[in-house]
Amino acid sequence: MKYGIIGAMPEEIDRVREQFETFHSQRIANRTYHEGTFAGAECVLVFSRWGKVAAASTATALIERFGVDFIIFTGVAGAVSAKLEVGDVVIADQLCQHDFDVSLTGLAERFEIPLLGISNFPVRPELVNQARLAVDNYLAVGQNSVYVGTIASGDQFIAHPAKIEELRSAIPDLLCVEMEGAAVAQVCHEYGIPYLVIRTISDKADHSAPVDFMTFIQEIAKEYSFEILNRLLPALRNSSTVLEE
Ligand code: ADE
């Protein structure tokens, strides 16, 4: 099993990179892909840059050029659900693109991806469970919690309560917003490979979001990605060995 690991910002994967045993780094279309091992797993580590197009093209390169057969996205997100606090972790059990809307054509509903006929990309439940165990183990020492639910992606940094209110009523069970996860999910879905999107809450997508986001990114985010992947990858490797036997 070869894992593609994506973060949307260098800060999200810096700490992973420090412990990453790199065999080879290759620059393709403005991204640097690091091939190597982390926590005993064969991985390709890359920061995608921001947004759905950047994430989708990076995921495609990981699959086509590097032959990864599993993609894990780790990074930060803005809270939509009122129960979430900064530092909580959300594991997607499904992802949707909140800025996707061709409903005026009458051919699809809001959020529905034409031809695929779905609005949400589901994550395999056994993978969600393994991610939950890894995050639980990490968060056990502090006061933050792990949640499983819907993550929505769009090409906007959201810092407005009215927008959050609108998304909350349009997407039931929405936990948080970010800018890449559902794009990676769509690429993986169409290629038929498994994926996980794990997001730490950096802000509440309100007026203070820009400042909270920058502080979190600079000071805390990289620890989460590192600590979670360090627990998750060995667990996934063990279970995939069992599945392959
Ligand atoms: N990622 C982290 N915070 C975010 C926000 N408020 N909107 C979109 N993406 C984010």
Side-chain angles (χ1 to χ4, degrees):
M1 190 65 91
K2 197 195 249 190
Y3 299 89
I5 299 173
I6 310 179
M9 300 179 72
E11 292 86 344
E12 290 171 335
I13 59 161
D14 268 356
R15 177 106 165 73
V16 176
R17 208 142 167 241
E18 281 166 20
Q19 299 294 318
F20 197 81
E21 200 178 325
T22 306
F23 301 145
H24 186 240
S25 296
Q26 194 176 340
R27 197 129 174 100
I28 304 169
N30 289 327
R31 320 271 188 274
T32 305
Y33 295 82
H34 304 283
E35 293 174 85
T37 57
F38 180 77
E42 188 182 3
C43 299
V44 184
L45 177 68
V46 56
F47 102 84
S48 62
R49 305 185 170 202
W50 293 24
K52 292 188 297 164
V53 174
S57 61
T58 304
T60 306
L62 281 172
I63 297 167
E64 289 284 352
R65 300 279 293 257
F66 296 93
V68 306
D69 24 38
F70 192 137
I71 293 184
I72 304 172
F73 194 107
T74 65
V76 298
V80 172
S81 166
K83 67 186 175 192
L84 293 176
E85 295 298 333
V86 169
D88 287 345
V89 175
V90 176
I91 299 162
D93 63 1
Q94 57 177 7
L95 298 107
C96 85
Q97 298 176 30
H98 69 71
D99 54 358
F100 202 107
D101 187 0
V102 296
S103 59
L104 289 180
T105 64
L107 297 174
E109 291 178 1
R110 185 178 176 194
F111 310 127
E112 184 182 332
I113 309 296
L115 301 176
L116 292 179
I118 54 174
S119 307
N120 290 295
F121 294 95
V123 183
R124 294 186 192 173
E126 70 274 19
L127 300 178
V128 172
N129 279 340
Q130 285 195 315
R132 191 209 292 256
L133 289 174
V135 176
D136 260 343
N137 178 283
Y138 170 47
L139 294 181
V141 285
Q143 287 165 2
N144 287 109
S145 306
V146 57
Y147 294 90
V148 172
T150 307
I151 293 182
S153 312
D155 288 318
Q156 292 163 358
F157 184 87
I158 296 178
H160 207 289
K163 178 69 186 168
I164 284 302
E165 223 18 82
E166 195 276 318
L167 287 177
R168 205 181 269 154
S169 58
I171 308 172
D173 308 324
L174 179 58
L175 291 181
C176 62
V177 285
E178 37 84 309
M179 300 178 62
E180 297 85 15
V184 171
Q186 180 171 346
V187 171
C188 290
H189 176 86
E190 298 203 55
Y191 276 93
I193 73 162
Y195 51 94
L196 275 168
V197 178
I198 304 170
R199 294 284 189 170
T200 307
I201 299 302
S202 57
D203 61 87
K204 295 195 170 179
D206 54 10
H207 297 301
S208 51
V211 172
D212 295 345
F213 167 77
M214 285 315 295
T215 311
F216 197 87
I217 271 288
Q218 282 159 3
E219 290 166 18
I220 310 169
K222 59 187 167 196
E223 296 302 330
Y224 275 81
S225 298
F226 172 80
E227 298 292 349
I228 292 168
L229 288 170
N230 207 21
R231 288 163 172 80
L232 176 60
L233 282 166
L236 289 173
R237 276 185 68 228
N238 283 339
S239 64
S240 71
T241 313
V242 172
L243 287 177
E244 280 160 17
E245 273 169 2

